[in-house]
Amino acid sequence: MARKFFVGGNFKMNGSISSIKEIVENLNKATLDPNVEVVISPSYLHLLLVRENLREGLEVASQNVYDKPNGAFTGEVSVSQLKDSGINWTILGHSERRTILRESDEVVALKTKYATENGVSVIWCCGESLEEREAGKTIDVVSKQLAALKAQISDWSKIVIAYEPIWAIGTGKVATTEQAQEVHKAIREWLKTNVSDKVADETRILYGGSVNEKNCGELSKQADIDGFLVGGASLKPAFVDIINCLK
Ligand code: G3P
């Protein structure tokens, strides 16, 4: 089965009302490859602004979501609130949340279960630190993160996996095409062995970490790279070139 190429833009805690409007206007007027699924993820504060102004066909994601129904959870946002606002995606398990906010593999897996079971698709992130890579533990770390996810998930159709080596995030140090492909291939093999051939075949695996308009072309040619989760470059006009990298 052909996996539809996917490009996500993770704005992180960046942007003002005017800069976000500018990004949306740029995307609205751009000619985008119709064969690419595009999902952009501004901060909670800008989700509605983006959803109300972004052209149809482009989706919006939150950067986190809570795994309980509406109620007394100060500071959190629920899955039903996202859906009510036309937000059909969320990022979960980004390394910045795993490390700075101390979200464990289990917490991320439970949130992923809740979101997908309640109709919100998930860009689920995984990846190793520099120390873990240098110790030769990359595949072990990612496999452990995947195993925690598998313990909670039965329907994988609403999950896109984003492999983001922590050492490549915001550092300008992109993984080489070989390094990225090696881990993507290992993730697909893990899915084949531990979940099913179908899930391995159908699940999109994105690469994230210093992707830009110059390196996206080569990365996109790798057999197991099905798209990107872009940070810094998603705030720039060149994001359009990344979306169109298959052309
Ligand atoms: O989620 C995207 C990300 O962490 C990569 O960020 O700025 O290195 O593209 P960046």
Side-chain angles (χ1 to χ4, degrees), residues 10 12 91 94 96 164 168-171 208-211 229-233:
N10 177 7
K12 309 192 179 186
I91 296 172
H94 191 281
E96 286 147 17
E164 299 205 331
I169 296 176
T171 57
S210 297
V211 173
L229 185 55
V230 185

Side-chain angles (χ1 to χ4, degrees), residues 19 62 74 103 106 122 152 169 192 218 231 236-237 247:
S19 72
S62 62
T74 303
E103 290 189 7
E106 288 67 32
V122 173
Q152 302 299 335
I169 296 176
K192 197 173 163 65
E218 272 311 302
K236 300 178 186 157
K247 286 188 161 178

Side-chain angles (χ1 to χ4, degrees), residues 10 32 52 60 136-137 160 186 192 205-206 215 223:
N10 177 7
L32 303 179
E52 283 169 357
V60 183
K137 291 185 184 155
V160 171
K192 197 173 163 65
I205 307 175
L206 319 180
N215 57 33

Side-chain angles (χ1 to χ4, degrees), residues 22-34:
E22 202 179 315
I23 291 170
V24 168
E25 276 162 27
N26 274 337
L27 287 171
N28 286 348
K29 65 174 193 236
T31 304
L32 303 179
D33 184 342

Side-chain angles (χ1 to χ4, degrees), residues 125-143:
C125 305
C126 60
E128 81 290 1
S129 65
L130 183 59
E131 202 186 359
E132 289 162 339
R133 170 159 286 265
E134 285 174 346
K137 291 185 184 155
T138 299
I139 306 299
D140 289 350
V141 170
V142 172
S143 301

Side-chain angles (χ1 to χ4, degrees), residues 99-114:
T99 54
I100 305 167
L101 281 300
R102 302 205 184 136
E103 290 189 7
S104 66
D105 291 351
E106 288 67 32
V107 163
V108 174
L110 285 168
K111 287 183 174 190
T112 306
K113 174 185 166 72
Y114 190 87

Side-chain angles (χ1 to χ4, degrees), residues 11-44:
F11 297 176
K12 309 192 179 186
M13 198 174 72
N14 290 302
S16 60
I17 290 174
S18 71
S19 72
I20 296 287
K21 276 186 178 163
E22 202 179 315
I23 291 170
V24 168
E25 276 162 27
N26 274 337
L27 287 171
N28 286 348
K29 65 174 193 236
T31 304
L32 303 179
D33 184 342
N35 298 314
V36 176
E37 189 167 353
V38 178
V39 180
I40 58 172
S41 186
S43 75
Y44 277 139

